[in-house]
Amino acid sequence: MGYSLCVLGCGTMGVAVLSGVIASLDSVREPPYSANKWESHTPGTVTPALHHSDVTLPSKFVACVSREESAKRLRSLFFSLGGLGPSVEVCVASNVQAVQQAQVVLLCCKPQLAHAILNEPGLKEALEGKLLISILAGVTIRQLTEMVSPQTKVVRAMPNTPCKIREGMTVVSQIPESSTSELDRQILLNIFSSIGRCRFLDEKHFDACTALSGSGPAFACIFLEAMADGGVMMGLPRAEALELAAQTLQGAARMTLQSNIHPAQLKDAVTTPGGCTIAGLLALEDGRVRSTIARAIQVATERASELGQPSKK
């Protein structure tokens, strides 16, 4: 039997991660099995396979919310997933009981609610000796460890919403040294590399990761929408313009990841002298697109460092 995974505060990101993990496990259970997803070829990441020990894979899922209306919505959503989806137990206002029956806990609430949730009577004791994975932007490991017992193993993870379709990017902090460090590392890899790519990085990089990969899908969608708008302006139907733009961005991203070639080289490969590409590139440079995008990451990073911190009055 595998372990029980509890998601505290199962909102947008909690649903994205849980849905992705369930889809991954369902794909392993369904023949023919293939581990050859293109994401799995990144050095340092793995895709869960049938030979992994059961103790590193979840077999029971509990999603915790605070309102009954949220619970009804989640039950309907997980039921619609099929496979393991309907087996997800959705609990309302019963965090302590849910954590008591779990071995791994994913904290997905809003950053400002972390203190109230982790200080709920009985929760500290329920978390003792367990692996607590926080995906809260701006809330540091030091802050989290002050709210739980010394026996609780605390790590941070920063996934993004494409985890829901197993195309996510997750950064995980270094694992605390303990007798179960290797097991914990395998559990973390199995969760997050099953829903995209996974990287271990020092916590000092987390604010930048929050801005780049956490907020990044929103920035990419702005660029995607603008490309489609340009196509519409030049006479393309809206649906076709959006499809062309989306597939073009996906293809460019995959070429960068699979070929391990710098994007500047890929750009130069399609930029012929006096052609339409260089004309468009110069228009982008006129609009300071590079610096604007880079500044967006900078500003988002600075804002991420403020999340979860005490408000200044």
Side-chain angles (χ1 to χ4, degrees):
M1 292 292 292
Y3 65 86
S4 177
L5 175 64
C6 172
V7 181
L8 282 180
C10 195
T12 301
M13 281 308 307
V15 169
V17 174
L18 200 49
S19 299
V21 170
I22 288 172
S24 173
L25 291 173
D26 283 338
S27 71
V28 171
R29 288 150 52 99
E30 295 172 1
Y33 171 72
S34 173
N36 294 323
K37 278 192 68 189
W38 67 275
E39 296 90 349
S40 67
H41 300 299
T42 307
T45 66
V46 296
T47 298
L50 292 174
H51 63 268
H52 281 151
S53 171
D54 282 346
V55 296
T56 68
L57 297 173
S59 60
K60 182 178 180 181
F61 306 92
V62 183
C64 299
V65 292
S66 59
R67 299 180 299 169
E68 183 59 43
E69 60 185 84
S70 299
K72 290 180 180 178
R73 179 178 57 82
L74 286 187
R75 291 188 186 107
S76 175
L77 187 153
F78 290 128
F79 183 82
S80 68
L81 293 179
L84 292 170
S87 70
V88 177
E89 179 183 350
V90 181
C91 299
V92 182
S94 54
N95 293 340
V96 175
Q97 295 90 325
V99 171
Q100 284 173 341
Q101 59 180 305
Q103 289 77 50
V104 179
V105 178
L106 194 61
L107 183 62
C108 300
C109 64
K110 294 180 180 178
Q112 59 268 30
L113 298 178
H115 186 272
I117 289 177
L118 292 178
N119 281 278
E120 184 177 338
L123 195 64
K124 180 180 291 188
E125 291 74 17
L127 280 169
E128 281 190 11
K130 297 177 179 178
L131 178 61
L132 176 64
I133 309 167
S134 168
I135 68 167
L136 310 188
V139 182
T140 65
I141 291 177
R142 180 175 180 179
Q143 288 175 293
L144 292 165
T145 53
E146 290 174 351
M147 292 184 267
V148 298
S149 74
Q151 288 74 39
T152 303
K153 297 168 288 187
V154 179
V155 297
R156 286 182 67 187
M158 182 49 58
N160 58 9
T161 49
C163 289
K164 189 173 183 179
I165 59 167
R166 300 180 65 194
E167 296 284 1
M169 181 69 238
T170 304
V171 176
V172 183
S173 66
Q174 301 299 333
I175 302 169
E177 285 296 327
S178 72
S179 59
T180 61
S181 294
E182 284 304 312
L183 176 62
D184 294 338
R185 180 182 177 87
Q186 194 61 55
I187 287 173
L188 288 161
L189 278 173
N190 282 354
I191 291 174
F192 295 112
S193 66
S194 73
I195 51 181
R197 290 173 177 254
C198 179
R199 280 280 179 264
F200 286 90
L201 281 176
D202 291 334
E203 189 187 16
K204 65 182 180 181
H205 298 299
F206 262 59
D207 292 333
C209 293
T210 300
L212 186 53
S213 61
S215 301
F219 305 151
C221 284
I222 288 287
F223 195 82
L224 170 58
E225 186 181 24
M227 288 181 65
D229 284 346
V232 171
M233 182 178 180
M234 302 314 297
L236 288 175
R238 169 64 64 178
E240 283 74 8
L242 188 57
E243 180 185 15
L244 265 64
Q247 180 60 35
T248 298
L249 287 182
Q250 179 177 240
R254 290 193 172 190
M255 284 181 70
T256 300
L257 291 169
Q258 284 185 295
S259 62
N260 199 27
I261 296 175
H262 194 281
Q265 291 177 272
L266 296 175
K267 176 205 69 176
D268 288 348
V270 296
T271 306
T272 56
C276 59
T277 303
I278 190 62
L281 287 171
L282 288 176
L284 290 174
E285 297 292 359
D286 289 342
R288 300 176 61 187
V289 168
R290 287 175 188 254
S291 62
T292 300
I293 294 173
R295 290 296 184 192
I297 302 300
Q298 179 187 18
V299 171
T301 299
E302 292 167 353
R303 176 57 183 152
S305 68
E306 299 170 357
L307 297 176
Q309 305 306 312
S311 59
K312 298 179 181 179
K313 296 184 178 179

